Coordinates of all heavy atoms in Angstrom, one line a residue:
D1 N 128.1 -7.6 -30.1 CA 129.2 -6.8 -29.6 C 129.6 -7.2 -28.2 O 128.8 -7.5 -27.4 CB 128.7 -5.3 -29.6 CG 128.5 -4.8 -31.0 OD1 129.0 -5.4 -32.0 OD2 127.8 -3.8 -31.1
V2 N 130.9 -7.1 -28.0 CA 131.5 -7.4 -26.7 C 132.3 -6.2 -26.3 O 133.1 -5.7 -27.0 CB 132.4 -8.7 -26.9 CG1 133.1 -8.9 -25.5 CG2 131.6 -9.8 -27.4
D3 N 132.1 -5.8 -25.0 CA 132.8 -4.7 -24.4 C 134.1 -5.3 -23.8 O 134.0 -5.9 -22.7 CB 132.0 -4.0 -23.4 CG 132.0 -2.5 -23.5 OD1 132.7 -2.0 -24.3 OD2 131.3 -1.9 -22.6
L4 N 135.3 -5.0 -24.4 CA 136.5 -5.4 -23.9 C 137.4 -4.3 -23.4 O 137.4 -3.2 -24.0 CB 137.3 -6.2 -24.9 CG 136.7 -7.5 -25.5 CD1 137.5 -8.0 -26.6 CD2 136.4 -8.5 -24.5
T5 N 138.2 -4.5 -22.4 CA 139.2 -3.5 -22.0 C 140.3 -3.7 -23.1 O 140.4 -4.6 -23.9 CB 139.8 -3.8 -20.6 OG1 140.5 -5.1 -20.7 CG2 138.7 -3.9 -19.6
A6 N 141.2 -2.7 -23.1 CA 142.4 -2.7 -24.0 C 143.2 -4.0 -23.9 O 143.6 -4.6 -24.8 CB 143.2 -1.4 -23.9
R7 N 143.5 -4.3 -22.6 CA 144.3 -5.5 -22.4 C 143.5 -6.8 -22.8 O 144.2 -7.7 -23.4 CB 144.6 -5.6 -20.9 CG 145.6 -6.7 -20.6 CD 147.0 -6.6 -21.1 NE 147.6 -5.5 -20.4 CZ 148.5 -4.7 -20.9 NH1 148.9 -4.8 -22.1 NH2 149.1 -3.7 -20.2
E8 N 142.2 -6.9 -22.5 CA 141.5 -8.0 -23.0 C 141.5 -8.2 -24.5 O 141.6 -9.2 -25.0 CB 140.0 -8.0 -22.5 CG 139.9 -8.1 -21.0 CD 138.5 -7.7 -20.5 OE1 137.8 -7.0 -21.1 OE2 138.3 -8.1 -19.3
F9 N 141.4 -7.0 -25.2 CA 141.4 -7.0 -26.6 C 142.8 -7.5 -27.1 O 142.8 -8.3 -28.0 CB 141.1 -5.6 -27.2 CG 141.2 -5.6 -28.7 CD1 140.1 -6.0 -29.4 CD2 142.3 -5.1 -29.3 CE1 140.1 -6.0 -30.8 CE2 142.4 -5.1 -30.7 CZ 141.3 -5.5 -31.5
D10 N 143.8 -7.0 -26.5 CA 145.2 -7.4 -26.9 C 145.4 -8.9 -26.7 O 146.0 -9.6 -27.5 CB 146.2 -6.6 -26.1 CG 146.3 -5.2 -26.5 OD1 145.8 -4.8 -27.6 OD2 146.9 -4.4 -25.7
L11 N 144.9 -9.4 -25.6 CA 145.0 -10.8 -25.3 C 144.2 -11.7 -26.3 O 144.7 -12.7 -26.8 CB 144.6 -11.1 -23.8 CG 144.7 -12.5 -23.3 CD1 146.2 -12.9 -23.3 CD2 144.2 -12.5 -21.8
L12 N 143.0 -11.3 -26.6 CA 142.2 -12.0 -27.5 C 142.8 -12.0 -28.9 O 142.9 -13.0 -29.6 CB 140.8 -11.4 -27.6 CG 139.8 -12.1 -28.5 CD1 139.6 -13.5 -28.2 CD2 138.4 -11.4 -28.5
R13 N 143.3 -10.8 -29.3 CA 143.9 -10.7 -30.6 C 145.1 -11.6 -30.7 O 145.4 -12.3 -31.8 CB 144.3 -9.2 -30.9 CG 145.0 -9.1 -32.3 CD 145.3 -7.7 -32.6 NE 146.1 -7.1 -31.5 CZ 146.2 -5.8 -31.3 NH1 145.7 -4.9 -32.1 NH2 146.9 -5.3 -30.3
F14 N 145.9 -11.7 -29.7 CA 147.1 -12.5 -29.6 C 146.7 -14.0 -29.8 O 147.2 -14.7 -30.6 CB 147.9 -12.4 -28.3 CG 149.1 -13.2 -28.3 CD1 150.3 -12.8 -28.9 CD2 149.1 -14.4 -27.7 CE1 151.4 -13.6 -28.9 CE2 150.2 -15.2 -27.6 CZ 151.4 -14.8 -28.3
F15 N 145.7 -14.4 -29.0 CA 145.2 -15.8 -29.1 C 144.7 -16.1 -30.6 O 145.1 -17.2 -31.1 CB 144.1 -16.1 -28.1 CG 144.6 -16.4 -26.7 CD1 144.1 -15.8 -25.7 CD2 145.6 -17.4 -26.6 CE1 144.5 -16.1 -24.4 CE2 146.0 -17.7 -25.3 CZ 145.5 -17.1 -24.2
V16 N 143.9 -15.3 -31.1 CA 143.3 -15.5 -32.4 C 144.3 -15.6 -33.5 O 144.2 -16.4 -34.5 CB 142.2 -14.5 -32.7 CG1 141.7 -14.6 -34.1 CG2 141.0 -14.6 -31.7
T17 N 145.4 -14.8 -33.4 CA 146.4 -14.8 -34.4 C 147.5 -15.9 -34.1 O 148.4 -16.1 -35.0 CB 147.2 -13.4 -34.4 OG1 147.7 -13.1 -33.2 CG2 146.2 -12.4 -34.9
H18 N 147.3 -16.7 -33.1 CA 148.3 -17.8 -32.8 C 147.4 -19.0 -32.4 O 147.6 -19.6 -31.3 CB 149.2 -17.4 -31.7 CG 150.1 -16.3 -32.0 ND1 149.8 -15.0 -31.7 CD2 151.3 -16.3 -32.6 CE1 150.8 -14.2 -32.2 NE2 151.7 -14.9 -32.7
P19 N 146.5 -19.4 -33.2 CA 145.6 -20.6 -32.9 C 146.4 -21.9 -32.6 O 147.4 -22.1 -33.2 CB 144.7 -20.7 -34.0 CG 145.5 -20.2 -35.2 CD 146.3 -19.1 -34.6
M20 N 145.9 -22.6 -31.6 CA 146.4 -23.9 -31.3 C 147.8 -23.9 -30.7 O 148.3 -25.0 -30.4 CB 146.3 -24.9 -32.5 CG 144.9 -25.0 -33.1 SD 143.7 -25.6 -31.9 CE 144.4 -27.3 -31.6
E21 N 148.4 -22.8 -30.5 CA 149.7 -22.7 -29.8 C 149.5 -22.5 -28.4 O 148.7 -21.6 -28.0 CB 150.5 -21.6 -30.5 CG 150.9 -21.8 -31.9 CD 151.7 -20.7 -32.6 OE1 152.5 -20.1 -31.9 OE2 151.4 -20.4 -33.7
V22 N 150.3 -23.2 -27.6 CA 150.2 -23.1 -26.1 C 151.2 -22.1 -25.6 O 152.3 -22.2 -25.9 CB 150.4 -24.5 -25.4 CG1 150.3 -24.4 -23.9 CG2 149.3 -25.5 -26.0
Y23 N 150.7 -21.2 -24.7 CA 151.5 -20.2 -24.1 C 151.4 -20.2 -22.6 O 150.3 -20.2 -22.1 CB 151.2 -18.8 -24.6 CG 151.5 -18.6 -26.1 CD1 150.6 -18.9 -27.1 CD2 152.8 -18.2 -26.5 CE1 150.9 -18.7 -28.4 CE2 153.1 -18.1 -27.8 CZ 152.2 -18.4 -28.8 OH 152.5 -18.2 -30.1
S24 N 152.5 -20.2 -21.9 CA 152.4 -20.1 -20.4 C 152.1 -18.7 -20.0 O 152.1 -17.8 -20.8 CB 153.9 -20.5 -19.9 OG 154.8 -19.4 -20.2
R25 N 151.8 -18.6 -18.8 CA 151.4 -17.2 -18.2 C 152.6 -16.3 -18.4 O 152.4 -15.1 -18.8 CB 151.1 -17.3 -16.8 CG 149.7 -18.0 -16.6 CD 149.3 -18.0 -15.1 NE 150.3 -18.6 -14.3 CZ 150.2 -18.6 -12.9 NH1 149.1 -18.1 -12.3 NH2 151.1 -19.2 -12.2
E26 N 153.8 -16.8 -18.2 CA 155.0 -15.9 -18.4 C 155.2 -15.5 -19.8 O 155.6 -14.4 -20.1 CB 156.3 -16.7 -17.9 CG 156.3 -16.9 -16.4 CD 155.4 -18.0 -15.9 OE1 154.9 -18.8 -16.7 OE2 155.3 -18.1 -14.6
Q27 N 154.9 -16.5 -20.7 CA 155.1 -16.1 -22.2 C 154.0 -15.1 -22.6 O 154.3 -14.2 -23.4 CB 154.9 -17.4 -23.0 CG 156.1 -18.3 -22.9 CD 155.9 -19.6 -23.6 OE1 154.8 -20.2 -23.5 NE2 156.9 -20.1 -24.4
L28 N 152.8 -15.2 -22.1 CA 151.8 -14.3 -22.4 C 152.1 -12.9 -21.8 O 151.9 -11.8 -22.5 CB 150.4 -14.7 -21.9 CG 149.8 -15.9 -22.6 CD1 148.6 -16.5 -21.9 CD2 149.5 -15.5 -24.0
L29 N 152.7 -12.8 -20.6 CA 153.1 -11.6 -20.1 C 154.2 -10.9 -21.0 O 154.1 -9.7 -21.2 CB 153.7 -11.7 -18.7 CG 152.8 -11.9 -17.6 CD1 153.5 -12.2 -16.2 CD2 151.9 -10.6 -17.4
E30 N 155.1 -11.7 -21.5 CA 156.2 -11.1 -22.4 C 155.6 -10.7 -23.7 O 156.0 -9.6 -24.2 CB 157.2 -12.2 -22.7 CG 158.0 -12.6 -21.5 CD 158.9 -13.8 -21.8 OE1 159.0 -14.3 -23.0 OE2 159.5 -14.4 -20.9
R31 N 154.6 -11.3 -24.3 CA 154.1 -11.1 -25.6 C 153.0 -10.0 -25.6 O 152.8 -9.3 -26.6 CB 153.8 -12.3 -26.3 CG 155.0 -13.2 -26.7 CD 154.6 -14.5 -27.1 NE 155.8 -15.3 -27.6 CZ 156.6 -15.9 -26.8 NH1 156.5 -15.9 -25.5 NH2 157.6 -16.6 -27.4
V32 N 152.1 -10.1 -24.6 CA 150.9 -9.2 -24.6 C 151.1 -8.0 -23.8 O 150.6 -6.9 -24.2 CB 149.6 -10.0 -24.2 CG1 148.4 -9.2 -24.2 CG2 149.5 -11.3 -25.1
W33 N 151.7 -8.1 -22.6 CA 151.9 -7.0 -21.7 C 153.1 -6.2 -22.2 O 153.9 -6.8 -23.0 CB 152.1 -7.4 -20.3 CG 150.8 -7.7 -19.6 CD1 150.3 -6.9 -18.6 CD2 149.8 -8.7 -19.7 NE1 149.1 -7.4 -18.1 CE2 148.8 -8.5 -18.8 CE3 149.7 -9.8 -20.6 CZ2 147.7 -9.3 -18.7 CZ3 148.6 -10.6 -20.5 CH2 147.6 -10.4 -19.6
D34 N 153.3 -5.0 -21.7 CA 154.5 -4.2 -22.1 C 155.7 -5.0 -21.7 O 155.8 -5.6 -20.6 CB 154.4 -2.9 -21.3 CG 155.5 -1.9 -21.7 OD1 156.6 -2.4 -22.1 OD2 155.3 -0.7 -21.5
A35 N 156.7 -4.9 -22.5 CA 158.0 -5.7 -22.2 C 158.6 -5.3 -20.9 O 159.3 -6.1 -20.3 CB 159.0 -5.4 -23.4
D36 N 158.4 -4.1 -20.4 CA 158.9 -3.6 -19.2 C 158.0 -3.9 -18.0 O 158.3 -3.5 -16.9 CB 159.2 -2.1 -19.2 CG 160.3 -1.8 -20.2 OD1 161.2 -2.7 -20.4 OD2 160.3 -0.8 -20.9
W37 N 156.9 -4.5 -18.2 CA 155.9 -4.7 -17.2 C 156.4 -5.8 -16.2 O 157.0 -6.8 -16.7 CB 154.5 -5.2 -17.8 CG 153.4 -5.3 -16.8 CD1 152.6 -4.3 -16.4 CD2 153.0 -6.4 -16.0 NE1 151.7 -4.7 -15.5 CE2 152.0 -6.0 -15.2 CE3 153.5 -7.7 -15.9 CZ2 151.3 -6.8 -14.3 CZ3 152.9 -8.5 -15.0 CH2 151.8 -8.1 -14.2
Y38 N 156.3 -5.5 -15.0 CA 156.7 -6.4 -13.9 C 155.6 -6.7 -13.0 O 155.0 -5.7 -12.5 CB 157.9 -5.9 -13.2 CG 158.4 -6.9 -12.1 CD1 159.2 -8.0 -12.5 CD2 158.1 -6.7 -10.8 CE1 159.6 -8.9 -11.5 CE2 158.5 -7.6 -9.8 CZ 159.2 -8.7 -10.2 OH 159.6 -9.6 -9.2
G39 N 155.3 -7.9 -12.8 CA 154.2 -8.2 -11.8 C 154.0 -9.7 -11.7 O 154.8 -10.5 -12.2
D40 N 153.0 -10.1 -11.1 CA 152.6 -11.5 -10.7 C 152.0 -12.2 -12.0 O 151.1 -11.6 -12.5 CB 151.7 -11.5 -9.5 CG 151.5 -12.9 -9.0 OD1 151.6 -13.8 -9.8 OD2 151.3 -13.0 -7.8
P41 N 152.5 -13.3 -12.4 CA 151.9 -14.0 -13.4 C 150.4 -14.4 -13.3 O 149.7 -14.6 -14.2 CB 152.7 -15.3 -13.6 CG 154.0 -15.0 -13.0 CD 153.7 -14.0 -11.9
S42 N 149.9 -14.3 -12.0 CA 148.5 -14.6 -11.8 C 147.6 -13.5 -12.4 O 146.4 -13.7 -12.6 CB 148.2 -14.7 -10.3 OG 148.4 -13.5 -9.6
T43 N 148.2 -12.4 -12.8 CA 147.5 -11.3 -13.5 C 146.9 -11.9 -14.8 O 145.8 -11.6 -15.2 CB 148.5 -10.2 -13.9 OG1 148.9 -9.6 -12.7 CG2 147.8 -9.1 -14.7
V44 N 147.7 -12.8 -15.4 CA 147.2 -13.4 -16.7 C 145.9 -14.3 -16.4 O 145.0 -14.2 -17.1 CB 148.3 -14.3 -17.3 CG1 147.8 -15.1 -18.5 CG2 149.5 -13.4 -17.7
T45 N 146.0 -15.0 -15.3 CA 144.9 -15.9 -14.9 C 143.6 -15.0 -14.8 O 142.5 -15.4 -15.2 CB 145.2 -16.6 -13.7 OG1 146.4 -17.3 -13.8 CG2 144.1 -17.6 -13.3
V46 N 143.7 -13.9 -14.1 CA 142.6 -13.0 -13.9 C 142.0 -12.5 -15.2 O 140.8 -12.5 -15.5 CB 143.0 -11.9 -12.9 CG1 141.8 -10.8 -12.8 CG2 143.3 -12.4 -11.6
H47 N 142.9 -12.1 -16.1 CA 142.5 -11.6 -17.4 C 141.8 -12.7 -18.3 O 140.9 -12.4 -18.9 CB 143.7 -10.9 -18.1 CG 143.9 -9.5 -17.7 ND1 144.6 -9.3 -16.5 CD2 143.6 -8.3 -18.2 CE1 144.7 -7.9 -16.4 NE2 144.1 -7.4 -17.4
I48 N 142.4 -13.9 -18.2 CA 141.8 -15.0 -18.9 C 140.4 -15.2 -18.4 O 139.5 -15.4 -19.2 CB 142.7 -16.3 -18.8 CG1 144.0 -16.1 -19.4 CG2 141.9 -17.5 -19.3 CD1 144.0 -16.2 -20.9
R49 N 140.2 -15.3 -17.1 CA 138.9 -15.5 -16.5 C 137.9 -14.4 -17.0 O 136.8 -14.8 -17.4 CB 139.0 -15.6 -15.0 CG 137.7 -15.9 -14.4 CD 137.7 -16.1 -12.8 NE 139.1 -16.1 -12.2 CZ 139.5 -15.2 -11.4 NH1 138.8 -14.1 -11.1 NH2 140.7 -15.3 -10.9
R50 N 138.3 -13.2 -16.9 CA 137.4 -12.1 -17.3 C 137.0 -12.2 -18.8 O 135.9 -12.0 -19.2 CB 138.0 -10.8 -17.0 CG 138.0 -10.5 -15.5 CD 138.6 -9.2 -15.2 NE 138.7 -9.0 -13.8 CZ 139.5 -8.1 -13.2 NH1 140.3 -7.3 -13.9 NH2 139.5 -7.9 -11.9
L51 N 138.1 -12.5 -19.6 CA 137.9 -12.6 -21.1 C 136.9 -13.7 -21.4 O 136.0 -13.6 -22.3 CB 139.2 -12.8 -21.8 CG 139.2 -12.8 -23.3 CD1 138.6 -11.5 -23.8 CD2 140.6 -13.0 -23.8
R52 N 137.1 -14.9 -20.7 CA 136.2 -16.0 -20.9 C 134.7 -15.7 -20.6 O 133.8 -16.1 -21.3 CB 136.6 -17.2 -20.0 CG 137.7 -18.0 -20.6 CD 138.1 -19.1 -19.6 NE 139.1 -19.9 -20.2 CZ 139.9 -20.7 -19.5 NH1 139.8 -20.7 -18.1 NH2 140.8 -21.5 -20.0
T53 N 134.5 -14.8 -19.6 CA 133.1 -14.5 -19.3 C 132.5 -13.6 -20.4 O 131.3 -13.6 -20.5 CB 133.0 -13.7 -17.9 OG1 133.7 -12.5 -18.0 CG2 133.5 -14.5 -16.8
K54 N 133.3 -13.0 -21.2 CA 132.8 -12.1 -22.2 C 132.7 -12.8 -23.6 O 131.9 -12.4 -24.4 CB 133.7 -10.9 -22.3 CG 133.7 -10.0 -21.1 CD 134.6 -8.8 -21.2 CE 134.5 -8.0 -19.9 NZ 135.3 -6.7 -20.1
V55 N 133.5 -13.8 -23.9 CA 133.5 -14.3 -25.2 C 133.1 -15.8 -25.3 O 132.8 -16.3 -26.4 CB 135.0 -14.2 -25.9 CG1 135.4 -12.8 -26.0 CG2 136.0 -15.1 -25.2
E56 N 133.0 -16.5 -24.1 CA 132.6 -17.9 -24.2 C 131.1 -18.0 -23.8 O 130.6 -17.3 -23.0 CB 133.4 -18.7 -23.1 CG 134.9 -18.8 -23.4 CD 135.2 -19.8 -24.5 OE1 134.4 -20.4 -25.0 OE2 136.5 -19.9 -24.7
R57 N 130.4 -19.0 -24.5 CA 129.0 -19.2 -24.1 C 128.9 -19.7 -22.7 O 128.0 -19.3 -22.0 CB 128.4 -20.3 -25.1 CG 128.0 -19.7 -26.4 CD 127.3 -20.7 -27.2 NE 128.4 -21.4 -28.0 CZ 128.1 -22.3 -28.9 NH1 126.9 -22.6 -29.2 NH2 129.1 -22.8 -29.6
D58 N 129.8 -20.6 -22.3 CA 129.8 -21.2 -21.0 C 131.3 -21.0 -20.4 O 132.1 -21.9 -20.7 CB 129.4 -22.6 -21.0 CG 129.4 -23.2 -19.6 OD1 129.7 -22.6 -18.6 OD2 129.1 -24.4 -19.5
P59 N 131.5 -19.9 -19.7 CA 132.9 -19.7 -19.3 C 133.5 -20.8 -18.4 O 134.7 -21.0 -18.3 CB 132.8 -18.4 -18.5 CG 131.5 -17.8 -18.9 CD 130.6 -18.9 -19.3
D60 N 132.6 -21.6 -17.8 CA 133.1 -22.7 -16.9 C 133.5 -23.9 -17.8 O 134.2 -24.8 -17.3 CB 132.1 -23.1 -15.9 CG 131.8 -22.0 -14.9 OD1 132.7 -21.3 -14.5 OD2 130.6 -21.9 -14.4
N61 N 133.1 -23.9 -19.0 CA 133.5 -25.0 -19.9 C 133.8 -24.3 -21.3 O 133.1 -24.4 -22.3 CB 132.3 -26.0 -20.1 CG 132.0 -26.7 -18.9 OD1 132.8 -27.4 -18.3 ND2 130.8 -26.5 -18.3
P62 N 135.0 -23.6 -21.3 CA 135.3 -22.9 -22.5 C 135.6 -23.7 -23.7 O 136.2 -24.8 -23.6 CB 136.6 -22.1 -22.1 CG 137.2 -22.9 -21.0 CD 136.0 -23.5 -20.2
E63 N 135.1 -23.2 -24.9 CA 135.4 -23.9 -26.1 C 136.6 -23.3 -26.8 O 137.2 -24.0 -27.6 CB 134.2 -23.7 -27.0 CG 132.9 -24.3 -26.5 CD 131.7 -23.9 -27.4 OE1 131.9 -23.8 -28.7 OE2 130.6 -23.8 -26.9
H64 N 136.9 -22.0 -26.6 CA 138.0 -21.4 -27.4 C 139.2 -21.1 -26.6 O 140.3 -21.4 -27.0 CB 137.4 -20.1 -28.0 CG 136.3 -20.3 -28.9 ND1 136.4 -21.0 -30.1 CD2 135.0 -20.0 -28.8 CE1 135.2 -21.1 -30.6 NE2 134.3 -20.5 -29.9
I65 N 139.1 -20.5 -25.4 CA 140.3 -20.2 -24.6 C 140.4 -21.4 -23.7 O 139.8 -21.5 -22.6 CB 140.1 -18.9 -23.8 CG1 139.8 -17.7 -24.8 CG2 141.4 -18.6 -23.0 CD1 139.5 -16.4 -24.1
R66 N 141.3 -22.2 -24.1 CA 141.5 -23.5 -23.4 C 142.7 -23.5 -22.5 O 143.7 -23.0 -22.8 CB 141.6 -24.7 -24.4 CG 140.5 -24.8 -25.5 CD 139.1 -25.1 -24.9 NE 139.1 -26.4 -24.2 CZ 138.8 -27.5 -24.8 NH1 138.4 -27.5 -26.1 NH2 138.8 -28.6 -24.2
T67 N 142.5 -24.2 -21.3 CA 143.7 -24.4 -20.4 C 144.3 -25.7 -20.8 O 143.6 -26.7 -20.9 CB 143.2 -24.4 -19.0 OG1 142.5 -23.2 -18.6 CG2 144.3 -24.7 -18.0
V68 N 145.6 -25.7 -20.9 CA 146.4 -26.9 -21.1 C 147.1 -27.1 -19.8 O 148.1 -26.4 -19.5 CB 147.4 -26.8 -22.3 CG1 148.2 -28.0 -22.5 CG2 146.6 -26.4 -23.6
W69 N 146.6 -28.0 -19.0 CA 147.1 -28.2 -17.7 C 148.6 -28.4 -17.6 O 149.1 -29.2 -18.4 CB 146.3 -29.4 -17.0 CG 144.9 -29.0 -16.8 CD1 143.9 -29.6 -17.5 CD2 144.4 -28.0 -15.9 NE1 142.7 -29.0 -17.0 CE2 143.0 -28.0 -16.1 CE3 145.0 -27.1 -15.1 CZ2 142.1 -27.1 -15.4 CZ3 144.1 -26.2 -14.4 CH2 142.7 -26.3 -14.5
G70 N 149.2 -27.7 -16.7 CA 150.7 -27.8 -16.6 C 151.5 -27.0 -17.6 O 152.7 -27.0 -17.5
M71 N 150.8 -26.5 -18.6 CA 151.6 -25.8 -19.7 C 151.1 -24.3 -19.9 O 151.9 -23.4 -20.0 CB 151.4 -26.5 -21.0 CG 152.0 -27.9 -20.9 SD 151.8 -28.8 -22.5 CE 152.9 -27.9 -23.5
G72 N 149.8 -24.1 -19.9 CA 149.3 -22.7 -20.2 C 148.0 -22.7 -20.9 O 147.1 -23.4 -20.5
Y73 N 147.8 -21.7 -21.8 CA 146.6 -21.5 -22.5 C 146.7 -21.5 -24.0 O 147.8 -21.2 -24.5 CB 146.0 -20.1 -22.1 CG 145.8 -20.0 -20.6 CD1 146.7 -19.4 -19.8 CD2 144.6 -20.4 -20.0 CE1 146.6 -19.2 -18.5 CE2 144.4 -20.3 -18.6 CZ 145.4 -19.7 -17.9 OH 145.2 -19.5 -16.6
K74 N 145.7 -21.8 -24.7 CA 145.6 -21.8 -26.2 C 144.3 -21.4 -26.7 O 143.3 -21.5 -26.0 CB 146.1 -23.1 -26.8 CG 145.0 -24.2 -26.6 CD 145.4 -25.5 -27.3 CE 144.3 -26.6 -27.2 NZ 144.7 -27.7 -27.9
W75 N 144.3 -20.9 -27.9 CA 143.0 -20.6 -28.6 C 142.6 -21.8 -29.5 O 143.4 -22.2 -30.3 CB 143.2 -19.3 -29.5 CG 142.0 -19.0 -30.2 CD1 141.7 -19.3 -31.6 CD2 140.8 -18.3 -29.8 NE1 140.5 -18.8 -31.9 CE2 139.9 -18.3 -30.8 CE3 140.4 -17.8 -28.5 CZ2 138.6 -17.6 -30.7 CZ3 139.2 -17.2 -28.4 CH2 138.3 -17.1 -29.5
Q76 N 141.4 -22.3 -29.3 CA 140.9 -23.4 -30.0 C 139.8 -22.8 -30.9 O 138.7 -22.4 -30.5 CB 140.3 -24.4 -29.1 CG 139.7 -25.6 -29.8 CD 140.6 -26.8 -29.8 OE1 141.5 -26.9 -29.1 NE2 140.3 -27.6 -30.8
P77 N 140.1 -22.7 -32.3 CA 139.1 -22.2 -33.2 C 137.8 -23.0 -33.3 O 137.8 -24.1 -32.9 CB 139.8 -22.1 -34.5 CG 141.1 -22.5 -34.3 CD 141.3 -23.1 -32.9

């Protein structure tokens, strides 16, 4: 069992339902956060980091939530 916040759950569900597709921080804000939400895209980075600590065996070398340098993030099954 993994204890996730509502936002972490939404983010994980989004990734799992869109495997291998790369999304920028801005795209993730549009699709996972409320459409009217306004804030800094670094919010996504913080949530990704926290989610990795909960779902990855080694968060420093993630197997599933992968960073695609210069583009964004993707879920690797």
Side-chain angles (χ1 to χ4, degrees):
D1 290 341
V2 178
D3 224 2
L4 301 175
T5 66
R7 185 68 70 210
E8 290 167 345
F9 179 81
D10 292 343
L11 187 57
L12 181 60
R13 179 178 50 198
F14 182 82
F15 276 131
V16 171
T17 58
H18 299 89
M20 303 301 295
E21 296 179 36
V22 179
Y23 292 93
S24 69
R25 293 185 302 176
E26 291 80 8
Q27 290 172 317
L28 289 169
L29 281 173
E30 291 172 8
R31 289 168 173 82
V32 178
W33 276 250
D34 185 334
D36 295 327
W37 189 87
Y38 179 78
D40 191 327
S42 65
T43 297
V44 174
T45 306
V46 172
H47 279 80
I48 295 285
R49 184 175 349 113
R50 289 180 183 163
L51 186 56
R52 280 177 174 159
T53 64
K54 295 179 179 184
V55 302
E56 296 283 0
R57 279 186 272 190
D58 180 0
D60 293 328
N61 296 298
E63 297 174 33
H64 300 293
I65 303 173
R66 306 295 298 266
T67 300
V68 180
W69 294 110
M71 296 181 70
Y73 301 97
K74 71 176 181 176
W75 177 262
Q76 178 97 22

